[in-house]
Amino acid sequence: MTTPTTAGSSTPGAYRVLVLNSGSSSVKYQLLDMSDRTRLAVGLVERIGEETSRLVHTPLTGGGAEQRERIGPIADHGAALKAAAQELAADGLGLDSPQLAAIGHRVVHGGLRFTEPVVIDDEVLKEIERLVPVAPLHNPANITGIRTAQALRPDLPQVAVFDTAFHTTMPEYAARYAIDTATADAHRIRRYGFHGTSHAYVSRKTAELLGRTPEEVNVIVLHLGNGASASAVAGGRCVETSMGLTPLEGLVMGTRSGDIDPAVTFHLMRVAGMSADEVDGLLNKRSGLVGLCGDNDMREIRRRVDEGDERAALAFDIYVHRLKKYIGAYSAVLGRVDAVAFTAGVGENSAPVREAAVAGLEELGLAVDADLNAVRSGEPRLISPDYARVAVAVVPTDEELEIAVQTFALVGQAHGSLGQAHN
């Protein structure tokens, strides 16, 4: 475990945090003012390394958002961050501003060592690099983003906020796989979980929606996007989550299979002659909803279901069946459930998924009100009837705000700055 380090190099009175989420071919960024937790600008650079790279930047100051778009080659992550910095500077929000307190980085895998956000130094970077074998698609891109940001502002605190950190509170009996212990320990094989910033934020917001503290509430969080995960949160602490060593385990996802008999891998290698890399590509990129029906967009799948498409209907039913299994299992794990919270793209926007996932679970105290469920809103809300024993909620996630809050709480300790509470 790592104890958070306090950074002392941010400027007193500096309340801005830049949040970076660096993917393999993209960089998402947001600039936030932590004095009132407002967004000053958001942006995305995608298709990095291609001739058709695209930068979309939206300033959120000055009385209205006016999106700007650039299309053209952006060679690498360094060029992408420099382009983003130019857009911010054009709005008077440049990275050289004395109001910028820190840069917060989303890092997917922190293993067991990083249980809290940390100020990044050489040793932290080395540990993130050592975890590349268990996060080969994510950690290298995160590292690239960190190194590029360090080069742009070497004087500024850079903070790593880990997707896995929230799940490090899982008891050993939930985190361990039932394989040879020596082999597991030698190769760091255990269940880590992901989407931790989202699960932390949503579980806390759900308690707030119920008018209670996180310590008083047991919540099942269903983060349903193209990647999907569930967590059981008891009194503010994660005790179980669906993703494992990698983000492949658990729920049916857009392109990932989720839970599968491990012997399927051996069968495909022996009988179909597939290589390990080919099986990896199948399970991560050509499975889940896209493997079942050719689409991974739930809106399109529901359109096809409504038109009588049998493949789409089966894909939807498999998706919902897996959700029901996890809701039931986590109800057993928690013993008492106060709320089930839906979040992320599908969870927040697909009323049919929410309705179907809860249907038939009345004995567990779950129900949704059809009219409340049909309402579209960007605000946290309850969609269960008053008589339901367990609240069903829709809680829009805000991973960027969560990263900014954790980053600012860490660097702000040096000056007694704002934002240390996770509100």
Side-chain angles (χ1 to χ4, degrees):
M1 294 186 180
T2 292
T3 301
T5 303
T6 299
S9 57
S10 59
T11 304
Y15 298 128
R16 292 178 185 171
V17 172
L18 177 65
V19 174
L20 294 179
N21 182 352
S22 300
S24 58
S25 61
S26 67
V27 174
K28 298 177 185 177
Y29 62 92
Q30 291 195 15
L31 183 66
L32 297 96
D33 184 333
M34 299 310 295
S35 64
D36 56 7
R37 301 190 178 188
T38 57
R39 284 171 176 77
L40 303 176
V42 301
L44 167 67
V45 187
E46 59 185 349
R47 301 194 292 268
I48 295 171
E50 300 180 19
E51 290 297 312
T52 57
S53 303
R54 177 173 176 259
L55 185 154
V56 180
H57 176 86
T58 305
L60 301 176
T61 58
E66 183 179 341
Q67 187 178 92
R68 301 196 294 268
E69 181 175 350
R70 282 201 268 162
I71 297 178
I74 296 177
D76 51 31
H77 283 70
L81 274 181
K82 288 175 183 176
Q86 290 171 358
E87 294 294 333
L88 288 166
D91 301 317
L93 302 170
L95 298 192
D96 58 349
S97 168
Q99 292 180 289
L100 187 61
I103 298 177
H105 298 265
R106 178 197 180 212
V107 178
V108 167
H109 214 308
L112 287 181
R113 177 173 173 182
F114 298 115
T115 62
E116 300 283 350
V118 293
V119 175
I120 299 167
D121 57 20
D122 289 343
E123 183 53 39
V124 169
L125 261 180
K126 288 177 183 176
E127 182 62 20
I128 296 172
E129 289 174 338
R130 282 193 283 268
L131 288 162
V132 165
V134 290
L137 300 178
H138 300 94
N139 274 29
N142 302 154
I143 292 166
T144 299
I146 291 168
R147 291 195 185 282
T148 303
Q150 286 178 325
L152 287 174
R153 281 298 304 268
D155 59 311
L156 203 64
Q158 312 267 338
V159 175
V161 179
F162 299 91
D163 272 10
T164 49
F166 183 64
H167 305 301
T168 57
T169 57
M170 280 192 296
E172 197 70 356
Y173 55 75
R176 281 272 182 183
Y177 290 112
I179 66 172
D180 173 64
T181 301
T183 301
D185 290 346
H187 300 285
R188 305 187 186 203
I189 299 171
R190 62 185 291 117
R191 302 183 63 251
Y192 293 99
F194 300 89
H195 295 145
T197 51
S198 177
H199 287 280
Y201 179 86
V202 171
S203 60
R204 200 168 57 249
K205 281 293 180 181
T206 301
E208 183 180 304
L209 186 63
L210 298 180
R212 299 162 73 180
T213 67
E215 292 75 22
E216 298 175 300
V217 175
N218 289 354
V219 185
I220 297 172
V221 178
L222 301 172
H223 177 107
L224 309 179
N226 192 50
S229 60
S231 67
V233 183
R237 293 168 61 85
C238 177
V239 296
E240 177 64 276
T241 193
S242 59
M243 287 179 167
L245 173 72
T246 75
L248 180 59
E249 187 180 357
L251 302 175
V252 175
M253 305 178 219
T255 66
R256 299 180 192 132
S257 65
D259 292 338
I260 195 168
D261 182 346
V264 170
T265 298
F266 315 139
H267 179 78
L268 290 172
M269 295 174 74
R270 291 167 181 156
V271 176
M274 295 176 70
S275 68
D277 286 344
E278 287 171 332
V279 176
D280 187 294
L282 170 69
L283 297 181
N284 277 291
K285 298 179 181 178
R286 303 196 310 280
S287 295
L289 292 171
V290 79
L292 289 167
C293 70
D295 273 310
N296 64 335
D297 187 321
M298 185 58 72
R299 294 165 297 187
E300 180 64 15
I301 291 170
R302 283 304 309 175
R303 183 192 67 77
R304 289 171 56 186
V305 170
D306 293 341
E307 292 178 353
D309 187 310
E310 293 184 0
R311 281 186 66 198
L314 179 59
F316 182 82
D317 289 346
I318 292 171
Y319 183 93
V320 168
H321 178 70
R322 190 76 57 84
L323 274 176
K324 285 180 182 286
K325 285 176 64 176
Y326 271 89
I327 293 171
Y330 286 3
S331 296
V333 167
L334 290 170
R336 187 198 82 243
V337 179
D338 298 297
V340 173
F342 289 86
T343 193
V346 175
E348 293 170 28
N349 298 299
S350 180
V353 166
R354 297 192 297 260
E355 179 184 9
V358 171
L361 301 183
E362 291 81 7
E363 290 298 316
L364 296 179
L366 290 161
V368 297
D369 179 285
D371 292 335
L372 294 175
N373 190 36
V375 172
R376 295 184 67 87
S377 171
E379 297 299 318
R381 60 200 185 276
L382 295 177
I383 60 170
S384 47
D386 291 340
Y387 64 78
R389 189 172 75 249
V390 177
V392 180
V394 180
V395 180
T397 192
D398 198 333
E399 295 175 90
E400 289 78 15
L401 176 60
E402 180 71 13
I403 292 169
V405 166
Q406 293 191 29
T407 296
F408 195 66
L410 186 57
V411 303
Q413 291 171 15
H415 303 294
S417 299
L418 301 173
Q420 296 185 38
H422 290 247
N423 294 326

